[in-house]
Amino acid sequence: MQENVYRILVINPGSTSTKIGVFENERSMFEKTIRHDYDQINSFDSIISQYEFRKETILETLDSEAINISKISAVCGRGGLLRPIEGGTYLVNELMLKDLKAGYAGQHASNLGGIIAYEIASALNIPSYIVDPVVVDELEPIARISGLPMIERKSIFHALNQKAVARRVAADFGKKYEELNLIVTHMGGGITIGAHKRGKVIDVNNGLHGDGPFSPERAGTVPVGDLVALCYSGDYFREEVMKMLVGQGGLVGYLNTSDAIKVEKMIKAGDNKAKLVYEAMAYQVAKEIGAASAVLEGKVDAIILTGGIAFSQDFINYITNRVNWIADVIVHPGENELQALAEGALRVLRGEEHHKEYLI
């Protein structure tokens, strides 16, 4: 029996660029990063007001590459800052468009993904989707307790890549994602470690606003009392402290660079401080993996290391030496978001999953 062929357009908007791709089932036919003129993109009064400009740029690029959009089966955009939802592939509906345009959980370029996907798909009378946005929230109630009643732990993490690599590893095992317990560690500008229990991320560190290991750009968990003292020292404004935590923390704070390759060159040149800080980052990642193994009660089928830093063999070794007693460590370097978006839409088109509805 011949397999159905589905052609999927995927869209991943960033602050000054838009990544697009066309996939025929799992096979990439075309991928491109459209880099927008800085002055032009900043001439818009809001992120949302960019969507018509970005949509037309995408369509012009596809036309210039001789991509016939009439053959597209579905359009899939990067999910934005929506209400907390469980993982999966969601059909773009009116409520989602309203929340994306209003910036329900904040304004970010990724909000444009679902809007542009819907606009292009509607004109072609085909479905539009988003897949596993950063607001995926599958935490168990016990994981939400922080220690202060007025503060609840939140699920903000690299859901798209974590779930995509988890599914790939499960397929390599000849099993479904929903049959395994996995610890997935995404290591990029931010670092998140998720405890995946039979298809649900039941606990994960908030990779944006401060918990878990420090990362190339973020401070992670810091001693709270000392942080409070810093905030009330009178030396810093709120925005300055937030930048220390997100953007100027981690490797940037210690070594003035977020580039792991540069740090490794510093280490090879004999920089002992760089070596200590780099190993400390790996040490904290390993600690968080250990914590996730406790969440899963020691029943861990595999530990997965992914993201850009997973290309660093030295960093992988630092972590593996501390955690390989828990379970086998599997390395999937990089982050192919376009492939992950295409795979999410493809599962629905093939009937392997039913699309989910975005509801209040």
Side-chain angles (χ1 to χ4, degrees), residues 303-341:
I303 296 166
I304 305 169
L305 304 179
T306 185
I309 303 177
F311 284 108
S312 167
Q313 191 57 54
D314 287 343
F315 199 76
I316 293 298
N317 290 341
Y318 291 148
I319 296 169
T320 301
N321 290 340
R322 292 186 181 274
V323 303
N324 59 6
W325 58 272
I326 298 169
D328 288 341
V329 177
I330 299 171
V331 182
H332 272 257
E335 179 181 15
N336 194 336
E337 294 170 330
L338 297 181
Q339 180 85 40
L341 291 171

Side-chain angles (χ1 to χ4, degrees), residues 224-238 241 245:
V224 177
D226 292 335
L227 179 60
V228 171
L230 186 75
C231 291
Y232 283 89
S233 67
D235 294 332
Y236 305 100
F237 292 108
R238 180 183 185 276
V241 174
L245 297 175

Side-chain angles (χ1 to χ4, degrees), residues 32-317:
K32 184 169 184 176
T33 298
I34 303 169
R35 303 198 183 279
H36 305 296
D37 180 77
Y38 180 83
D39 291 333
Q40 187 172 18
I41 209 76
N42 281 283
S43 68
F44 293 93
D45 57 8
S46 68
I47 289 173
I48 295 305
S49 63
Q50 299 171 13
Y51 89 85
E52 187 69 34
F53 160 72
R54 294 212 195 204
K55 182 188 82 170
E56 292 305 320
T57 304
I58 291 167
L59 293 173
E60 288 169 8
T61 301
L62 293 171
D63 185 58
S64 70
E65 297 288 339
I67 302 290
N68 185 351
I69 64 170
S70 69
K71 294 184 178 180
I72 300 291
S73 308
V75 186
C76 189
R78 180 72 186 268
L81 298 176
L82 293 160
R83 302 165 193 265
I85 54 177
E86 69 176 8
T89 299
Y90 285 77
L91 188 71
V92 180
N93 60 18
E94 291 297 328
L95 175 61
M96 183 185 294
L97 289 170
K98 179 181 174 183
D99 282 354
L100 289 172
K101 290 175 181 178
Y104 177 85
Q107 295 287 354
H108 190 272
S110 61
N111 291 11
L112 295 166
I115 298 170
I116 297 171
Y118 179 83
E119 292 280 336
I120 293 175
S122 295
L124 298 170
N125 198 29
I126 57 176
S128 55
Y129 304 106
I130 66 165
V131 181
D132 292 328
V134 294
V135 294
V136 165
D137 185 346
E138 299 166 340
L139 298 188
E140 292 187 334
I142 198 169
R144 300 184 189 278
I145 305 299
S146 72
L148 281 179
M150 64 284 290
I151 298 175
E152 183 177 87
R153 291 188 69 240
K154 293 181 176 68
S155 176
I156 300 176
F157 71 110
H158 304 88
L160 182 63
N161 190 45
Q162 282 211 20
K163 283 183 171 277
V165 296
R167 288 187 178 98
R168 288 171 199 149
V169 168
D172 289 343
F173 284 0
K175 296 195 174 185
K176 293 182 179 179
Y177 169 49
E178 294 78 11
E179 295 175 322
L180 298 176
N181 289 348
L182 303 165
I183 298 171
V184 185
T185 300
H186 176 102
M187 303 178 296
I191 295 176
T192 55
I193 295 94
H196 296 237
K197 183 178 182 181
R198 299 188 177 277
K200 301 287 185 185
V201 184
I202 63 171
D203 202 347
V204 65
N205 63 298
N206 181 332
L208 180 60
H209 284 151
D211 68 345
F214 72 82
S215 74
E217 300 174 353
R218 296 167 198 174
T221 301
V222 296
V224 177
D226 292 335
L227 179 60
V228 171
L230 186 75
C231 291
Y232 283 89
S233 67
D235 294 332
Y236 305 100
F237 292 108
R238 180 183 185 276
E239 292 77 15
E240 291 176 300
V241 174
M242 288 304 295
K243 282 183 180 178
M244 289 181 198
L245 297 175
V246 182
Q248 296 176 358
L251 294 185
V252 172
Y254 285 105
L255 304 173
N256 296 314
T257 181
S258 61
D259 189 334
I261 294 172
K262 286 185 180 178
V263 175
E264 292 192 356
K265 287 180 180 176
M266 292 164 68
I267 295 169
K268 287 186 173 114
D271 189 327
N272 289 328
K273 179 183 177 183
K275 185 174 188 293
L276 178 63
V277 170
Y278 201 52
E279 289 187 9
M281 188 165 74
Y283 172 84
Q284 291 195 6
V285 171
K287 279 175 64 177
E288 196 73 20
I289 291 171
S293 72
V295 169
L296 295 171
E297 299 176 336
K299 298 167 186 172
V300 182
D301 293 296
I303 296 166
I304 305 169
L305 304 179
T306 185
I309 303 177
F311 284 108
S312 167
Q313 191 57 54
D314 287 343
F315 199 76
I316 293 298
N317 290 341

